[in-house]
Each structure stands twice: as C-alpha cells, then as structure tokens.
Amino acid sequence: MMLLPCPWCGARDAGEFRYVGESGTRPDPATATRDQWRRYLYFHANPRGWVREDWYHGAGCRRYFTVGRHTVTNEVRTARGRS
Amino acid sequence: MPTRYSAWSLIRHGVSGDDWPPILRQHDRRESYDVVIVGGGVHGLATAYYLAADYGVRNVAVLEKSYIGSGGSGRNTAILRSNYLTPEGVRFYDRSVKLYEHLAAELNFNVMFSQRGHLTLAHNDSSLRTMRWRTEVNKLQGVDSDMIDPDEIKKLVPYLDTSNTTRYPILGALYHPPGGIVRHDAVVWGYARAADARGVHIHQGTEVVGIDVDGGRVTGVRTADGHRIATGAVLNATAGWSTLISDMVGVRMPVQTFPLQAGVTEPVRPFLDTVVVSGTLHVYVSQTDRGELVFGASVDPYASYSTRGSLEFAEGVAGHVLQLMPALSKMRLLRQWAGLCDMTPDFSPIMGPTPVAGFYVDVGWGTYGFKAGPVSGEAMADCIVNGRPPEIIAAFGLDRFTAGRLVGEKGAAAVGH
C-alpha cells in the first residue's frame, strides 16, 4: 500500500486518488503548433528515479496536488497543493 | 551445431544417461558486430534468429543485462490471440499466431502451443458493441472470431457463473478459437538456441550503459564492464527500459512504464480448457498444463518501475475471479509477480527506424508484447536489413505520434483500459 500525503487531508491510501501524470506546462492552445501540442500530449520523460507528478484526491477533498515520487521505490518526498 | 531433438535423441540420452548439452554456447565478445540487439527477450532473440535464418546476417550480438527471458518474456501470462480491433493490428498479430503454430517444428524446440480457444466476456452493452465490431474486422481479415451467447459460453466453460443474478451478469462473449497459451520460457529458449546455432552471440549479464552516435549515426555501444563494441546498427528491444535506452541517443519516446501484476494458484486437476478474459472485471485466467491457474489483471493505476507485488492486486484479482467462478473459493494463491509494461498513447507498439541513423526501436509493447514476439522478430530483421519498415509494421512508426496517425487499439489490447 502506498500512502500519499494530501496537502489538505493528510496521508491517505493511494486508492483514494487518481493518478494524473507527470507535471508539465500546457502550451497555450491558441498559439501552439500541432507538433508542440502532440509532443505535450504524448511524450513523457518517464524517468527511472525521482519524478514530479500530479494527483487528484477523488475520494477526499477533490483537489489536485503535486508530489515528488521515486518511480522504483514509490517513496514520496514532497507534496504541494495546486490552486 | 547443437544436438537435434528427436525421439531418437531422447531414447539415446535416456539409455546412455549422458548430460544434455547446454542450449547456449558462451562466446568471447567481438570488437564489432554488424547488428547489436539490446534486450534478450523474445523480441530481441527472435530478431537475431530471423536476421541469421532469413537474411544470413550472422555477425549479430544480443546483449542482455540479466539472463534471457528475465523481463517481460518471463513475466507475462502466455496468452496468444489475434482478435484485435484495427485491420493493421489484426493482420500483424495474426501473422504472429501463424508463426507460433509452426514454431516448435521450425526451432526444433517444443514450445507447447495449446490452441484451446479464447473467450472475452461482455458484461455490458458497450462491450457487446465493441466485440461485434471486432468480430467483423476479424472476419474481414480472415481471422476466426464470433459472438456467442451465455448458453454457448456455459457449454465451453461449465464452471463460469452465467446466471443473471451476479453483480456483472455475462451477456455474451467474443469467441476466438485459434487463441490459446504457450510455454513462454520455451519460446525464449527455442529462439536463443536456434539463433546460437546459426552463429549469433548471446551475451547474458551484459548491461548497455551508453550508445555512441557520431554525425547522427550509431557507431557503437558501451557496456557496464567498460567495453566498447563497434556497430552500425542497434536495436532497442527492451521492455521497461525502452525510455532509458532511447535516452542514450536522445530519441524521446511516447511511453510511460506501468507495472502489471499476475499470479498463479496451486495446481489442481484440469477443468478449464479455454482462456477466459473479462474486461469489466479486469481479469484473465487460464489453466497451465501443470494444473495451476494463471491470473492477470490490468496495469497498476500509476506509472512505476517497481516490480513488487501488492496485496491490493491479490485481493482484487481473487474477488474478480470468484465473481466469474465461485467454485474456486478454496483455491490458494501460490505466488504473484509483476512485469513492466511500456504503455503508448494508442495501445499499439513503436517499431522501425528513428531520427538517429542505425538506431532502431521495437518497443512500447504495453501488455501485448509476448504474443507479438515472432512477427516482431521477422519484421525487425527485414527492417534492419533493408533500412525501412516492411508493410506489416508500416503503421507502427515513431513518427505517427507527431503526424497524428494513431493506431487505436484501446478497445482490444488489454483489459481495464
């Protein structure tokens, strides 16, 4: 079982959350080229190690937050709320 | 050349009591190879075999970080089928089933392919609709698939609960008679032995830590023990490491790595002679020749390189199997494990050349890589020899993600997506 530290609710079972994916900056849809948009949608760093990623607390406060997680050990280091 | 396996060689060894020769020879590493394949699973070994057997390219090395078949090839649930959703996918996987049908004879190695039939259960209207769609696509491509009703399902699998009082009643199924299971380790060993017999060097315990590129062209690979091997062609045939190997030459992959867990029960008498899959319940089950039930599920809910099993998986899969077959409630789970699945956005693989000359990929195999081993080896050997992808894998190029030509197999590639 993996515990995730929700910034608003505290540590909860990972089953309460929905995995959103690697944190990234969304290009502006009004100005992004097709190539930029597809790269944003499909390509990921997929690191074997620490990654910054977004989660959604669907069975709790229903808010988004960002964590630093190690993809081999699943150790979670930091959690920060997203507005 | 290794001993040819036959009834005669079996009797001779039985009488003489001599040791069987090892299936693989150990070789010293050469300074250079025509082709270096990274990854000693079924894909890498099959590519090496077809390079040597179909094209006479024998100066080939397969570099495996651990032992052959230690990754996805030894961690899958050994199910073969070709009842996919897109015409490109159906043609591709059907070629693989055809190759598997004759593989034991071709490799002189018993891979124990049992074409026992494959059932995908539908528990809701949208599954029925997708299955009708798959049936028609399959038939158009000459693949044996049909929809059957609960009475026919009950005849095939008497232990299934086909009543309409369960949480998810079974409404029908996609029946695919050519599907079945195979002995996955034997496929790895068979390809390795046949490639070795044709002069391919298989180096186990050899980790690749770098790939040299000069002027946009591959020139060699570097190994963890400090050696450099010169080569003009490198194939990335890894699963779980496909991003890391591609990062060595700066080719970004549209891949995210997820663990997929599977488990096996204690052996019991044979009672289940088809493969049963339920997408809604996220489970597939088959019985091995030894009598064990093999269970698989969907990938874990978040990206990870961890291959640890979890209690959530064991509880989840047990609950779902019991919904399908309540009579199994006293069975004990013997062990569980996880394999790494490189998921692509469209649930189809990434095969062919890359922007770096001489760097080829055969990756992104998600949850469907094992069944595609033979056709992938055949197609990648063709691709490396001719420098461009053959027709059968033309739709699976890396450029499809930026060009917007996805091959959507989400409805047929795996459960729970």
Side-chain angles (χ1 to χ4, degrees), chain A residues 1-2 13-14 19 21-22 34-35 38-39 41-49 53 55 69-74, chain B residues 240-241 243-244 247 252-258 301-306 312 340 342 345 398 401-404 406:
Chain A
M1 184 178 71
M2 184 168 80
D13 187 317
Y19 172 70
E22 285 175 23
R34 230 180 251 179
D35 190 63
R38 285 172 182 157
R39 283 189 184 279
L41 280 184
Y42 301 139
F43 288 78
H44 311 280
N46 194 32
R48 191 181 169 85
E53 63 189 11
W55 289 76
R69 181 175 63 97
H70 196 283
T71 57
V72 180
T73 62
N74 287 330
Chain B
W241 283 264
T243 313
L244 306 169
D247 282 349
R252 201 116 197 250
M253 283 286 140
V255 157
Q256 276 192 298
T257 302
F258 288 78
Y302 48 91
S304 173
Y305 286 89
S306 165
E312 288 97 320
L340 296 181
D342 289 333
L398 176 61
F401 297 97
T402 41
L406 271 57

Side-chain angles (χ1 to χ4, degrees), chain B residues 87-100:
Chain B
E88 297 90 339
V90 174
R91 282 197 291 270
F92 176 75
Y93 292 102
D94 194 49
R95 173 68 186 157
S96 215
V97 169
K98 295 282 192 302
L99 287 168
Y100 268 119

Side-chain angles (χ1 to χ4, degrees), chain B residues 165-179:
Chain B
T165 53
T166 60
R167 173 72 181 82
Y168 296 107
I170 295 167
L171 304 181
L174 177 62
Y175 182 44
H176 178 53

Side-chain angles (χ1 to χ4, degrees), chain B residues 122-323:
Chain B
H123 304 269
N124 53 47
D125 286 345
S126 60
S127 298
L128 282 174
R129 189 188 65 102
T130 310
M131 284 177 194
R132 287 200 189 96
W133 179 3
R134 283 166 69 180
T135 304
E136 298 310 319
V137 174
N138 287 187
K139 285 177 177 169
L140 276 171
Q141 299 299 330
V143 169
D144 190 0
S145 283
D146 220 335
M147 295 290 293
I148 60 174
D149 64 27
D151 290 339
E152 292 167 285
I153 298 170
K154 189 78 179 171
K155 277 183 213 144
L156 284 168
V157 192
Y159 282 82
L160 269 183
D161 183 358
T162 51
S163 69
N164 57 10
T165 53
T166 60
R167 173 72 181 82
Y168 296 107
I170 295 167
L171 304 181
L174 177 62
Y175 182 44
H176 178 53
I181 57 171
V182 73
R183 174 89 165 88
H184 57 194
D185 298 314
V187 176
V188 170
W189 299 331
Y191 271 121
R193 177 171 172 273
D196 177 82
R198 284 160 180 78
V200 170
H201 283 192
I202 296 166
H203 299 297
Q204 304 185 72
T206 305
E207 184 181 358
V208 171
V209 293
I211 300 172
D212 295 336
V213 178
D214 189 19
R217 176 167 283 283
V218 165
T219 57
V221 302
R222 281 174 282 116
T223 60
D225 52 6
H227 283 81
R228 184 181 186 279
I229 299 168
T231 184
V234 171
L235 172 65
N236 177 4
T238 59
W241 283 264
S242 67
T243 313
L244 306 169
I245 300 290
S246 297
D247 282 349
M248 292 176 188
V249 295
V251 174
R252 201 116 197 250
M253 283 286 140
V255 157
Q256 276 192 298
T257 302
F258 288 78
L260 186 146
Q261 298 188 51
V264 64
T265 67
E266 60 188 349
V268 292
R269 282 189 187 177
F271 72 96
L272 179 65
D273 60 357
T274 47
V275 181
V276 176
V277 182
S278 165
T280 302
L281 291 170
H282 297 200
V283 71
Y284 31 97
V285 53
S286 65
Q287 187 171 25
T288 69
D289 297 313
R290 278 194 298 241
E292 303 145 332
L293 290 182
V294 179
F295 301 139
S298 48
V299 295
D300 283 2
Y302 48 91
S304 173
Y305 286 89
S306 165
T307 49
R308 285 187 67 170
S310 69
L311 184 62
E312 288 97 320
F313 162 78
E315 284 181 342
V317 82
H320 292 148
V321 169
L322 290 184
Q323 287 203 27

